[in-house]
Amino acid sequence: MSRWAFWRKRPPVTANGAVPPSRRVTADFSWLGDALQLVLAWLLPSGAVVVGALGQFMLALVLLMVAFGVWLRLWRSRKRRRAMGRAPR
């Protein structure tokens, strides 16, 4: 049985009967980048979802800063009223 598969062409035989060396096939890993991009597209959310989540996070931070400012203002006014209550008249 021949060692050549039926879909492969046999290398040309030279006049002295020697088979020329086969060409070296270089590995092409460009498919890896495409596969990585496809996997990340499936795993990571779309841009709109990310922007929406960041917007929610920033809104929460702003509201937290406003609440802290209100609490600080109330605490200072309470502290001032206590000091005025203890002051001699």
Side-chain angles (χ1 to χ4, degrees), residues 5-55:
F6 68 90
W7 63 85
R8 292 188 187 149
K9 293 168 79 175
R10 289 177 186 260
V13 179
T14 58
N16 60 3
V19 176
S22 61
R23 66 178 177 90
R24 188 175 277 253
V25 178
T26 58
D28 183 23
F29 291 109
S30 63
W31 62 270
L32 189 61
D34 295 337
L36 181 65
Q37 188 178 8
L38 182 68
V39 168
L40 289 177
W42 274 95
L43 292 179
L44 295 177
S46 68
V49 174
V50 172
V51 170
L54 287 176

